[in-house]
């Protein structure tokens, strides 16, 4: 899931702002989440397709980054400007494109990209 977030959210944010993005908090284990005062159902836990990370763009103000993100089509469901932390928090759910087929009477799911590679081989 971390790779999906990197490829579909973090890198597109970097491309959009045209500058390096410094992630200050990504995945958190329960122990770390508790230590930093995170909520019990934190998206930083990366459970059940949920994901979150906090970041800054050192060459931009937080407000400029927020206004840039408002115009994007990046697949996040919530963006929070955390003034007390000096970061932007983005969160969402992993979007999966799957192909379902029945094999030997059983439903089998394959990621679309993998299915197309197999089909075209």
């Amino acid at each position: 899931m971390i790779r999906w977030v990197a490829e579909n959210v973090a890198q597109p944010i970097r491309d959009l702002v045209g500058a390096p993005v410094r992630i200050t908090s990504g995945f958190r284990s329960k122990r770390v989440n508790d230590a930093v005062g995170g909520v019990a159902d934190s998206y930083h836990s990366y459970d059940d397709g949920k994901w979150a990370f906090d970041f800054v763009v050192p060459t931009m103000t937080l407000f400029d980054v927020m206004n840039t993100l408002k115009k994007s089509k990046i697949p996040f469901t919530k963006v929070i400007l955390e003034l007390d932390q000096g970061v932007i928090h983005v969160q969402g759910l992993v979007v999966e494109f799957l192909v379902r087929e029945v094999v030997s009477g059983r439903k089998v799911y394959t990621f679309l990209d993998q299915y197309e590679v197999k089909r075209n081989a």
Side-chain angles (χ1 to χ4, degrees), residues 13-33:
I13 289 173
R14 185 186 195 288
D15 295 343
L16 183 67
V17 300
V21 171
R22 184 165 54 91
I23 295 176
T24 60
S25 181
F27 166 77
R28 295 184 197 149
S29 67
K30 180 173 177 5
R31 190 180 104 250
V32 170
N33 193 58

Side-chain angles (χ1 to χ4, degrees), residues 39-54:
V39 296
D41 62 345
S42 172
Y43 275 57
H44 285 276
S45 69
Y46 285 53
D47 289 334
D48 300 322
K50 295 185 304 189
W51 58 265
F53 63 90
D54 303 334

